[in-house]
Amino acid sequence: MITLIRKKQKTCHNKNHRVSYVVSGIAEITGAKFLQHGEDVLIENLLTDSRKLLFPKNSLFFSLPGSARKGNTFIKTLYDKEVRNFIVDDSFPPEEAGRYPDTNFLLVHDVLFALQKLAAYHRHQYRYPVIGITGSNGKTIVKEWLNQLLGEEHNIVRSPKSYNSQVGVPLSVWRMHESNTLGIFESGISKPGEMKNLQKIIDPDIGIITFMGAAHAEGFVSKEQKIREKLQLFLNSNLLVYCNDDEQLANEVSIFRAEKNGIPETFTWGSNEQAHLQVIRRKKNNDSASILCVFKKESFEFSIPFTDDASINNAITCCSVLLAMGIPIAVISEKMQRLRAVEMRMELKQGINNCSVINDGYSADLNSLSISLDFLEQQKQHTRRTVILSDFLQSGKDTDILYQDISTALKGKHIQRFIGIGPEISAHAASFSSLDEKHFYHSTEDFLRDINQLHFENETILIKGARIFRFEKISNALARKSHDTFLEVNLNAIRHNLAVYRQLLRPGVKIMAMVKAFSYGSGSYEVANLLQHTGIDYLAVAYTDEGVDLRRAGISLPIMVMNAETSGFDNLNKYKLEPEIFSFNLLSAFKEYLLQNETTDYPVHLKIDTGMHRLGFVHDETTALCNILKDQNAMKIVSVFSHLAGSDSADHDGFTKQQVSNFNFAADEIEQALNYSFFRHMANSSSIYRHPEFQMDMVRLGIGLYGIDTTGELQYRLQPVTALKTTVSQIKKVKKGESIGYSRKGIALRDSEIATVRIGYADGYPRLLSNGKGKMIINGNAVPVIGNICMDMTMLDVTGTDAEEGDTVIVFGEELPVTELALQAETIPYEILTNISQRVKRVYFEE
């Protein structure tokens, strides 16, 4: 084990068994200069995301540069929330500091480097062992399983969820505490040169490399280069655990160790005799797998409650680590049987009595609480918010301080009702005296017996607890019951796709996100809440009613209505919605309405028809349009825009250029007549990438946001957002020659097993996919539709598969992309997504 030398500095003091830091001490560690001095307070929390603020007084905000919004833009918001400590770089104007009295401003050359330097210093104040994990896949699972396997013997500090980036790693290591006895941190990189920074922060005693993908990731020229970069994490490690069946990995490890005179030592596993842990056999049963191994010439077998190959490999990696740590085989075998699935996501689902339910009932600690409260704060559909928390276990804090901190965090997030479950949190009920409404129960069962007396209605409910409290029972009790067909919506994927397009934008270009048609089937206010949270500039809906629903759900962003009608003018005005004006009739009617209501400068958007020939003013009408607009003050033109008809295809590039030319001619004439400027926009999802020169002032991001690229050029950079799933309701045996379904269109060509699943054309599954044209996925097997699709049910031929009643069925998702399903149905992904019925439950999740 590495000998760590604790450096005594006058600016660092021990308090509550944690190495602690005052602002001046952090300045010394990071090499920062004071732009402005405030109180030399104790810093306990490092903040890089203004939305995750819990404890203002003792937080230090690192103003990181960003591709979309610079950290400096959040300083005023945080100052108004009583944050008084900031680290900034040269992009922050020094004269601005004077606007924030009693505030510490530390100036550094590189804010990210300062964050990493502080975390590296903090890591080396502790002498207990640290495990570092890297690889292409399985990092988080291995970390969480090691926490399960070693948690009885150790007080473990680990990366929350998948915090493994250049920012996530230092925030994770900052959580190290004297009360811990083991650290487990994961590390991910996207390009060469990044790992050397993370190595200084984690500096692991034991290293683990999980599965290395065959294909090299974007940012690396080869798999070998990626392996060499990841190995830099283990420069000072004593031991490295990996699978030596991967010849490329084994070869690179040999080269790495040779350059370091045989350090670190290795513990390998694999099917070969040279491995320290030789895997002889893997046997999969219905709901478990058994692995027969040889270690030091002794055979032993252990079982895990999983059957997929990835879980088996991750379990063998964990077994290897435990063997390397000297844990007896008998103990390991017993622990492996108790491994639990790792839940790494928060789910948002519709609840009883018009509630929204956020389920994060798998962990309870202060760091993940900030993530959960941030997600709760995104949801604007209800003004009332309830938080249900269990005891917080192994926090490393004195319990009096811990629960007072939790109470402070809840108060700062304006929680209307708090429910504490567990003997420890109940014993600290007095800590929550500042909250308006609170209830305490010693167990989950006690709460469930009283649930009807609490009258949950029209509120957003966050459920967060340690796994032993079985909060899934609470989630099930509060969730609205519906049939077992559901659309999963990955909010992380929407964030990712938005980031991909933001990186393609020229400086200063704004984004209008299309959330019409129920956000392409993904949900209205749930997606709009997320987009508002990410700092999008505009939203667009098709009809006034859609905009009204968003306003009622708490969406405050500007919203353009693309098909405004005269009957909806009152709601446009009441809910501050901005209409698209596309005809003289609509222009005249809305102008008359505004005059009758004595309204001036109402924001509107002009649609120019440049060749789509759907809606809009044509070229010959521009002069007449200008004459009307320049002589009135009822309306203010916010933007002028048009729609590209074929921007996704090179075949139409000439037409696209002509459209842009026609548009600019019309927009110039309008701007000259009005004598003021406005936003111009034409670019849709495909043209953002294919025609960057046409991005203008704003782009309209639609189907690309939801992970579908019609050009085919961005598809591998985008992530799928939705997955439509159902379940098997019944399986029956049908003899050869018998018919299946309406009109007897399906005929069994052999003795068959037919599964009926809970989805039909009323749910949006196209009837055109009947009789073998469509397929679904069950347990990894693509099985064909047989017979005609019914209104509420579909039959599948599952002959020769391991399908069982109750199994999950993938209608489309990662294994069967919606683009492929659309091809089978002879349509486009837009139609598939927007046709998914409202009766299909939407389940939103965020990692």
Side-chain angles (χ1 to χ4, degrees):
M1 186 178 297
I2 305 169
T3 301
L4 304 178
I5 301 174
R6 189 188 306 275
K7 297 181 179 179
K8 298 286 186 180
Q9 297 206 11
K10 63 180 180 180
T11 51
C12 296
H13 316 284
N14 283 322
K15 181 181 180 182
N16 296 327
H17 303 292
R18 186 185 196 275
V19 178
S20 54
Y21 306 85
V22 291
V23 176
S24 59
I26 290 175
E28 185 177 339
I29 293 166
T30 60
K33 298 179 181 179
F34 276 94
L35 278 179
Q36 179 172 288
H37 275 278
E39 183 183 354
D40 200 20
V41 298
L42 183 72
I43 297 298
E44 294 184 341
N45 308 288
L46 307 185
L47 187 66
T48 61
D49 187 332
S50 62
R51 299 162 299 197
K52 294 180 171 58
L53 175 66
L54 290 182
F55 309 108
K57 182 178 179 181
N58 301 111
S59 291
L60 172 63
F61 179 68
F62 287 77
S63 183
L64 295 169
S67 59
R69 305 177 77 186
K70 308 300 182 185
N72 292 345
T73 62
F74 301 104
I75 288 177
K76 183 181 186 306
T77 300
L78 288 168
Y79 181 84
D80 291 342
K81 294 180 179 180
E82 300 182 357
V83 176
R84 294 294 181 266
N85 307 289
F86 299 90
I87 286 192
V88 297
D89 60 19
D90 293 331
S91 66
F92 180 76
E95 63 274 12
E96 285 285 305
R99 295 177 55 192
Y100 306 101
D102 304 317
T103 299
N104 288 301
F105 279 98
L106 303 183
L107 176 66
V108 296
H109 175 68
D110 186 324
V111 175
L112 176 60
F113 179 72
L115 171 65
Q116 294 174 340
K117 190 173 182 180
L118 176 60
Y121 179 92
H122 182 67
R123 182 264 180 267
H124 290 100
Q125 305 309 301
Y126 300 100
R127 302 177 185 273
Y128 49 79
V130 168
I131 297 174
I133 307 172
T134 192
S136 298
N137 305 104
K139 298 185 293 293
T140 302
I141 299 296
V142 168
K143 177 198 68 188
E144 293 298 323
W145 278 358
L146 286 175
N147 179 63
Q148 293 177 24
L149 294 165
L150 297 169
E152 294 177 359
E153 294 82 10
H154 291 276
N155 184 343
I156 299 173
V157 56
R158 68 192 194 279
S159 312
K161 304 212 174 184
S162 55
Y163 269 42
N164 57 30
S165 67
Q166 297 289 303
V167 174
V169 167
L171 294 180
S172 300
V173 170
W174 180 254
R175 302 171 71 226
M176 292 180 71
H177 190 280
E178 191 72 27
S179 65
N180 302 125
T181 59
L182 177 66
I184 309 177
F185 303 107
E186 58 175 293
S187 168
I189 54 173
S190 58
K191 59 185 179 182
E194 290 185 334
M195 189 61 86
K196 65 179 182 181
N197 300 326
L198 302 186
Q199 187 280 326
K200 296 174 184 176
I201 303 169
I202 301 176
D203 198 12
D205 304 285
I206 299 173
I208 302 171
I209 298 183
T210 60
F211 178 75
M212 294 293 299
H216 60 270
E218 186 176 352
F220 297 92
V221 299
S222 66
K223 179 182 175 182
E224 288 81 2
Q225 184 193 31
K226 183 169 67 171
I227 293 171
R228 286 194 292 271
E229 177 69 18
K230 288 181 180 289
L231 285 172
Q232 297 306 305
L233 180 61
F234 312 118
L235 285 175
N236 296 327
S237 299
N238 298 326
L239 181 69
L240 177 60
V241 178
Y242 68 98
C243 174
N244 67 356
D245 283 343
D246 185 334
E247 294 182 1
Q248 289 172 294
L249 174 59
N251 183 58
E252 292 298 331
V253 170
S254 295
I255 295 171
F256 176 73
R257 295 182 67 236
E259 292 172 349
K260 297 177 74 275
N261 298 318
I263 298 173
E265 295 183 11
T266 61
F267 188 105
T268 60
W269 67 267
S271 58
N272 56 86
E273 294 182 354
Q274 289 73 39
H276 294 87
L277 178 66
Q278 184 182 6
V279 180
I280 304 297
R281 188 194 67 221
R282 307 167 182 225
K283 182 180 178 182
K284 298 180 181 181
N285 305 309
N286 290 333
D287 55 2
S288 65
S290 57
I291 298 98
L292 178 63
C293 302
V294 174
F295 176 62
K296 292 184 177 180
K297 299 183 180 181
E298 177 184 348
S299 296
F300 73 98
E301 189 171 18
F302 67 90
S303 297
I304 60 172
F306 305 94
T307 59
D308 61 288
D309 290 334
S311 293
I312 293 172
N313 288 335
N314 291 333
I316 297 171
T317 297
C318 291
C319 178
S320 299
V321 174
L322 269 59
L323 288 169
M325 294 177 71
I327 298 175
I329 288 173
V331 175
I332 295 174
S333 297
E334 190 274 330
K335 285 176 175 287
M336 286 291 180
Q337 294 178 13
R338 294 188 278 123
L339 282 177
R340 303 181 301 270
V342 176
E343 297 289 344
M344 295 183 293
R345 68 190 205 182
M346 286 177 286
E347 286 189 345
L348 171 65
K349 59 183 73 174
Q350 294 174 320
I352 59 174
N353 304 326
N354 195 37
C355 291
S356 298
V357 178
I358 302 170
N359 181 25
D360 192 21
Y362 301 96
S363 64
D365 59 75
L366 276 176
N367 193 283
S368 63
L369 177 62
S370 69
I371 298 170
S372 302
L373 290 175
D374 172 41
F375 189 67
L376 172 63
E377 198 168 38
Q378 291 178 37
Q379 313 311 316
K380 305 296 185 182
Q381 55 268 35
H382 303 294
T383 56
R384 181 172 170 82
R385 294 171 180 168
T386 293
V387 173
I388 303 174
L389 293 183
S390 75
D391 288 350
F392 275 36
L393 308 176
Q394 292 187 322
S395 70
K397 278 195 170 189
D398 177 86
T399 53
D400 290 336
I401 297 173
L402 170 67
Y403 290 108
Q404 186 58 57
D405 283 349
I406 293 172
S407 176
T408 301
L410 297 176
K411 186 73 173 178
K413 296 295 184 180
H414 308 292
I415 303 303
Q416 282 77 25
R417 174 161 59 172
F418 172 66
I419 298 170
I421 299 177
E424 193 173 89
I425 201 169
S426 297
H428 288 82
S431 297
F432 300 88
S433 59
S434 63
L435 301 179
D436 294 334
E437 182 182 347
K438 54 266 181 189
H439 308 268
F440 295 91
Y441 300 90
H442 277 264
S443 70
T444 300
E445 288 69 27
D446 289 344
F447 166 78
L448 290 172
R449 280 192 289 270
D450 204 30
I451 192 170
N452 291 329
Q453 308 304 316
L454 293 169
H455 305 295
F456 292 98
E457 185 175 4
N458 294 315
E459 57 193 293
T460 303
I461 308 163
L462 170 63
I463 303 169
K464 183 168 185 60
R467 180 180 285 271
I468 64 170
F469 285 90
R470 302 293 302 275
F471 270 16
E472 64 270 19
K473 294 181 179 179
I474 299 176
S475 176
N476 292 336
L478 292 175
R480 192 178 77 183
K481 305 302 183 286
S482 60
H483 72 321
D484 289 338
T485 297
F486 54 96
L487 184 75
E488 287 188 339
V489 182
N490 185 342
L491 299 179
N492 293 89
I494 294 178
R495 288 184 186 274
H496 169 85
N497 297 337
L498 177 59
V500 169
Y501 282 100
R502 272 179 162 155
Q503 290 171 359
L504 297 172
L505 296 182
R506 296 181 171 187
V509 176
K510 298 181 181 298
I511 297 178
M512 175 183 285
M514 312 303 289
V515 292
K516 61 182 181 176
F518 203 54
S519 294
Y520 295 75
S522 298
S524 54
Y525 59 76
E526 296 89 352
V527 173
N529 274 330
L530 171 66
L531 294 172
Q532 181 167 269
H533 190 249
T534 61
I536 209 83
D537 301 289
Y538 251 94
L539 297 177
V541 297
Y543 296 101
T544 303
D545 289 347
E546 294 177 311
V548 171
D549 288 343
L550 294 180
R551 286 284 185 253
R552 287 174 174 169
I555 301 302
S556 58
L557 286 172
I559 300 175
M560 181 176 79
V561 178
M562 304 183 76
N563 282 283
E565 298 174 327
T566 55
S567 60
F569 285 171
D570 282 336
N571 275 338
L572 281 175
N573 191 20
K574 179 180 179 180
Y575 292 98
K576 295 181 172 54
L577 305 172
E578 303 175 10
E580 167 191 321
I581 303 296
F582 53 80
S583 70
F584 286 110
N585 286 339
L586 184 62
L587 175 64
S588 176
F590 193 56
K591 176 184 174 184
E592 183 64 25
Y593 172 84
L594 294 174
L595 291 173
Q596 290 176 0
N597 286 272
E598 300 180 348
T599 301
T600 59
D601 292 331
Y602 195 96
V604 302
H605 304 259
L606 294 181
K607 176 70 174 288
I608 307 299
D609 181 359
T610 58
M612 183 79 165
H613 296 325
R614 190 171 61 180
L615 294 175
F617 296 96
V618 297
H619 172 72
D620 293 342
E621 297 172 333
T622 308
T623 300
L625 176 63
C626 290
N627 289 334
I628 296 173
L629 293 175
K630 68 181 180 181
D631 294 328
Q632 59 82 43
N633 65 352
M635 290 173 283
K636 178 70 176 287
I637 309 305
V638 177
S639 82
V640 176
F641 72 103
S642 188
H643 201 107
L644 296 173
S647 60
D648 58 348
S649 172
D651 294 341
H652 304 303
D653 281 355
F655 186 78
T656 296
K657 292 176 182 178
Q658 185 59 52
Q659 279 193 275
V660 173
S661 177
N662 294 342
F663 171 77
N664 281 328
F665 185 86
D668 287 344
E669 186 175 351
I670 294 169
E671 185 170 309
Q672 186 174 5
L674 295 178
N675 201 28
Y676 63 80
S677 60
F678 41 73
F679 295 134
R680 302 185 186 200
H681 50 107
M682 286 190 79
N684 53 11
S685 296
S686 56
S687 59
I688 290 172
Y689 176 72
R690 293 201 66 251
H691 300 287
E693 69 275 20
F694 301 147
Q695 290 177 3
M696 302 182 184
D697 302 307
M698 186 158 62
V699 297
R700 299 191 304 275
L701 181 57
I703 196 70
L705 186 64
Y706 305 96
I708 296 170
D709 172 39
T710 56
T711 71
E713 299 177 50
L714 281 180
Q715 194 60 53
Y716 295 105
R717 294 176 61 182
L718 301 177
Q719 294 179 359
V721 168
T722 55
L724 181 59
K725 298 180 180 180
T726 187
T727 54
V728 176
S729 56
Q730 187 179 25
I731 296 178
K732 59 179 58 178
K733 296 184 183 298
V734 174
K735 292 188 178 298
K736 178 181 179 180
E738 291 188 355
S739 63
I740 296 100
Y742 283 121
S743 303
R744 304 189 65 202
K745 292 294 186 181
I747 303 295
L749 301 179
R750 62 193 187 289
D751 289 351
S752 304
E753 289 187 327
I754 305 300
T756 300
V757 300
R758 297 175 170 95
I759 191 171
Y761 57 76
D763 301 295
Y765 191 62
R767 196 169 184 272
L768 189 64
L769 295 176
S770 299
N771 302 307
K773 196 167 184 180
K775 292 181 174 63
M776 299 185 194
I777 307 290
I778 303 180
N779 299 329
N781 300 302
V783 294
V785 173
I786 186 167
N788 281 332
I789 292 167
C790 309
M791 181 181 291
D792 310 298
M793 288 170 280
T794 299
M795 286 71 73
L796 305 173
D797 186 347
V798 296
T799 307
T801 72
D802 57 354
E804 296 181 359
E805 294 179 2
D807 279 352
T808 297
V809 182
I810 298 171
V811 182
F812 66 76
E814 194 166 353
E815 299 89 336
L816 178 61
V818 67
T819 49
E820 186 174 332
L821 183 69
L823 287 174
Q824 294 172 3
E826 300 177 20
T827 184
I828 56 177
Y830 296 78
E831 184 174 358
I832 298 292
L833 293 173
T834 57
N835 279 351
I836 299 171
S837 169
Q838 294 290 314
R839 78 176 186 179
V840 173
K841 178 173 62 177
R842 270 69 173 173
V843 177
Y844 303 86
F845 66 90
E846 183 162 319
E847 303 288 349

